[in-house]
Amino acid sequence: MFSGKQTKPTFKSYLPPLQTDLKKSPQLPIKKLEAKLLPGEIVVNESNFVRKCIGAESCQDDLWGKLVCTNFKVSFIAHNSLAQQRFQCTHRLLGEHDIPLACVEQVVTVNDVKGKQKILGSNQKLKFNPTELILYCKDFRIIRFRFDEAGPESAKKVCLAIAHYSHPADPQLLFGFEYVGKRYHGSTGERVNGVDPGGGLQTPLFDCSSDWDREIKRTGASEWRVCTVNQGYFISPSLPEFFVVPVSLADQDLKQYACCFYSQRIPLWCWNHSSGSALVRMSNISDPQQQRKVEQRISSAITKSHPLRSDVFKSDLDKNLPNIQDIQTALLKLRQICVIDSFEESEEKWLSSLESSRWMEYVRTFLRHAVEVVYMLESRHVSVILLEKEDRDLSCVISCLVQLMCDPHCRSLHGFQGLIQKEWVMAGHRFLDRCNHLKKNDKEESPVFLLFLDCVWQLWNQYPAAFEFTEVYLTVLGDSLWVPVFSTFLFNCPRQRAEHSRDFASSKSIHLGQDQALCFPPVWDWSQQFSLKDQTLFNNPLYVGKIATCVQNGTVKTFTHRRSKKNYSSTLRGLPSALRNGSLGPNDTLSRRNSLVLRLRSDLSQVREQQETPSERFVRDFFSRPVDLQGLLLPQLLPSHLSVWKLYFLRWVPEAQIPQGGPITAFHKLSVLTDEIEMLQNQLRQYQGAAGTPNNLHTEHSKMYFKATSTPHQPPAPPEYLSSSFPFSPVGNLCRPGVLGTPLSKLLNGAKIWLSTETLANETI
């Protein structure tokens, strides 16, 4: 019956073999994973059993969960969670693994089996099933998702949805419109729940004449007035409805001259120096036949506004500063070497690449030009006109930097926010185009605002006690560019906001009532993004205000922080032995004049052969005196004085993280110390008020993020998981390939900008 011949098996399995490697999906408990949605937010597509890459080679530390695309963000809802650092900011609009669609720079799909890779755009087709998704973000994050266990069709659909919704075709498709329409406006025209976006805000928005009136009085600009000639945007579509002009210029003159300027942008007053000198910004005159006549009339009006009738100095920014394309190219190179290229090169190659990106060079150029303008206002006592073709990019940076250096009010939190509102938002900086929220025209994209924040950080880094806000605040402000639910960084000008608001309200049958526009909240209402506790991270514990109090020998006194007077040598005969590539060793110092004096001339090789210019003498005199933190501040601008803004540019790089170390440790200790001093001062005041009786020693609510303990015998324990990336905790967002060691060790240990020997030789010493 049975044949002696052995038969071959005929059963064929169509199931894949069991996975025994580390990529095997863990046995997860069954639970419903749902994305947290904001008002107006809807789920577009999703995919289950997705792995978010955390580790470098294996998936041992990776997260499993659901990948969701909404009309606002890319959201990953994890089954399990990673250990978090004890102190961490919690964003109220975004979860730990959420990415706003506006922050997505590039969507890349990969198929490992076929060896294919494709960059997805809007309305594109995907012919292969993706096994991996890589998101390159504008805030320097690179995030990877794997679809090893996900259904191929759902993986393809969620990738296409992310690519499509991150490229909106119209401004009204940006999520901010749906969010504001649903949250703040009901169908009857009444605000939902009575919420008033921005209600009680202390920051002036400069959208009404009263804000400008207060600014005129604050700066003592008595010969300037608020102009209402552009109400209804009758003259210029990109100017605000209210702005300030010389008293001697009549409205009829402004209407007549407007057609001579590019985009009808009449000259705008920015600020007045205590000497009476004014800072004014102006677009170029488009009509050559009228150029001389109009320039003379404008200059004459500005001269009449000066108490000394001083001349007017014109600063052509287009000729002296890099253009927006140069700035964009520099940032792309910086991003390439910071987060895209591997760190396997030598230290010298990485740092030379940093120099060749020219980003730091441009930061230095803008700061140097701002100092030149400060010299004209402060020393020469003349008014300055900032000339730019359209007066919407470079002039925003320079006008703000000048005011930050000259006016201590602008270094306070609300003063700084009002400065940005006045010189960027209301003056018509093209945030929609420069941030490329619609991803329509890459030629218009440029990180001008980010360059400005880097310049501010350089000034903050040299004079930290002069600023009320912290480095964390500047970083959060930069990130807010990509959360487009606020009016601040969403539009090109106030008129565009008003027009799109009315059109959107009409299409959604939203009755606006007396508002005549959707009430977009300003970004300055930080309570919409962070809790009060997290907002204390914005408060600088080192800040010395104009009137600060201290208790000395039982008496409350006021003080201002001043640097002690020292004698410094006026010459330097050679470089310190430890000076390498522009960095100083811990025990090395440069002589005062040569390390701090700012060189204002572009041709550094000829400075030795020339006599000291008045502007150089002005800077030298400034650094020879003790610095008043509530007075004029000038930056130190030799290349070795500028640092890389590590908290912003390197926070997502695993190799750059220092567990339980880095500058944040010092910040933590200072915060605890400052809080303890404040607590002891309150106790002393209570003792003094009660004639020595310790009546009600109740400690007031601390303003510090880290609070001191109530007794000196119990010092505060160091927080868990504190790292150099605090408070952003990038643990859930790292997926770079692993490398041995880091060539950034010297940079992270405090080195400045590393330059070649030739570059250093050209520096004036």
Side-chain angles (χ1 to χ4, degrees), residues 28 103 157 198 236 243 255 309 317 332 340 344 351 376 382 394 543 554 594 644 730-731:
L28 300 174
C103 188
K157 288 180 180 179
S236 175
F243 50 88
K255 294 178 182 179
R309 300 297 189 264
L317 304 184
L332 293 177
I340 298 179
E344 297 174 354
L351 292 165
M376 302 303 295
V382 299
L394 310 181
Y543 176 63
N594 300 281
V644 177
V731 177

Side-chain angles (χ1 to χ4, degrees), residues 421-477:
Q421 189 72 26
K422 173 168 63 92
E423 300 294 340
W424 291 83
V425 181
M426 301 309 294
H429 177 68
R430 289 193 180 99
F431 281 107
L432 184 68
D433 294 339
R434 297 297 179 251
C435 295
N436 204 7
H437 287 319
L438 303 181
K439 298 182 176 64
K440 281 187 174 181
N441 192 347
D442 293 340
K443 293 182 180 179
E444 294 292 327
E445 183 176 2
S446 183
V448 182
F449 187 73
L450 181 59
L451 179 79
F452 162 69
L453 291 182
D454 201 340
C455 292
V456 176
W457 180 84
Q458 300 293 340
L459 196 61
W460 179 93
N461 196 39
Q462 295 181 23
Y463 301 100
F467 293 83
E468 188 180 9
F469 47 85
T470 62
E471 180 184 16
V472 172
Y473 168 80
L474 290 175
T475 308
V476 168
L477 188 57

Side-chain angles (χ1 to χ4, degrees), residues 507-716:
S507 64
K508 298 291 183 178
S509 300
I510 299 175
H511 300 285
L512 297 177
Q514 297 179 353
D515 295 333
Q516 299 300 315
L518 291 178
C519 294
F520 281 85
V523 75
W524 316 125
D525 184 8
W526 293 107
S527 62
Q528 301 207 32
Q529 297 187 69
F530 302 101
S531 66
L532 291 176
K533 179 182 177 182
D534 286 340
Q535 288 180 59
T536 57
L537 288 167
F538 299 167
N539 301 326
N540 185 1
L542 299 176
Y543 176 63
V544 178
K546 193 166 186 178
I547 300 177
T549 60
C550 68
V551 177
Q552 197 172 64
N553 297 327
T555 305
V556 178
K557 295 184 177 181
T558 60
F559 70 96
T560 55
H561 183 83
R562 290 179 178 269
R563 190 175 57 196
S564 59
K565 293 185 178 180
K566 295 182 180 180
N567 294 324
Y568 299 97
S569 170
S570 61
T571 59
L572 176 65
R573 303 183 183 278
L575 291 170
S577 58
L579 183 60
R580 297 292 183 267
N581 294 327
S583 64
L584 289 173
N587 300 320
D588 293 309
T589 58
L590 286 175
S591 297
R592 187 65 173 178
R593 173 184 174 187
N594 300 281
S595 64
L596 300 181
V597 171
L598 177 65
R599 300 302 170 182
L600 299 174
R601 306 187 65 84
S602 58
D603 189 2
L604 297 176
S605 62
Q606 300 179 2
V607 173
R608 295 186 181 91
E609 304 174 2
Q610 297 177 355
Q611 293 182 349
E612 189 179 45
T613 64
S615 58
E616 292 172 343
R617 191 181 307 116
F618 165 71
V619 177
R620 176 173 59 82
D621 291 342
F622 169 79
F623 286 115
S624 67
R625 302 188 303 267
V627 170
D628 179 8
L629 295 179
Q630 288 300 315
L632 176 68
L633 294 183
L634 296 183
Q636 307 166 11
L637 288 182
L638 286 179
S640 58
H641 292 135
L642 298 188
S643 305
V644 177
W645 188 4
K646 293 177 286 189
L647 181 60
Y648 191 90
F649 296 121
L650 298 177
R651 58 186 157 148
W652 309 120
V653 181
E655 296 88 345
Q657 306 309 317
I658 312 172
Q660 299 185 0
I664 190 55
T665 302
F667 176 77
H668 167 251
K669 292 180 179 179
L670 284 171
S671 297
V672 173
L673 180 61
T674 306
D675 186 61
E676 188 173 359
I677 292 173
E678 182 183 7
M679 180 181 65
L680 293 173
Q681 286 178 352
N682 290 335
Q683 293 181 359
L684 285 172
R685 292 190 190 100
Q686 291 170 354
Y687 269 111
Q688 185 181 17
T693 304
N695 183 23
N696 188 19
L697 286 179
H698 175 69
T699 304
E700 296 180 2
H701 178 70
S702 172
K703 297 179 181 178
M704 297 296 117
Y705 193 85
F706 303 107
K707 291 193 284 189
T709 52
S710 57
T711 61
H713 303 292
Q714 299 176 356

Side-chain angles (χ1 to χ4, degrees), residues 192-217:
V192 178
N193 298 325
V195 176
D196 182 9
L201 195 69
Q202 298 183 35
T203 299
L205 299 181
F206 293 96
D207 56 354
C208 57
S209 59
S210 59
D211 286 344
W212 291 101
D213 277 325
R214 279 190 289 269
E215 186 70 2
I216 289 176
K217 293 176 182 177

Side-chain angles (χ1 to χ4, degrees), residues 258-290:
C259 59
C260 300
F261 293 92
Y262 275 97
S263 301
Q264 297 80 47
R265 289 182 62 89
I266 303 168
L268 299 176
W269 172 86
C270 301
W271 179 77
N272 248 51
H273 190 272
S274 57
S275 66
S277 303
L279 180 65
V280 182
R281 48 192 292 181
M282 185 174 81
S283 64
N284 290 349
I285 297 176
S286 57
D287 187 352
Q289 297 180 350
Q290 298 290 328

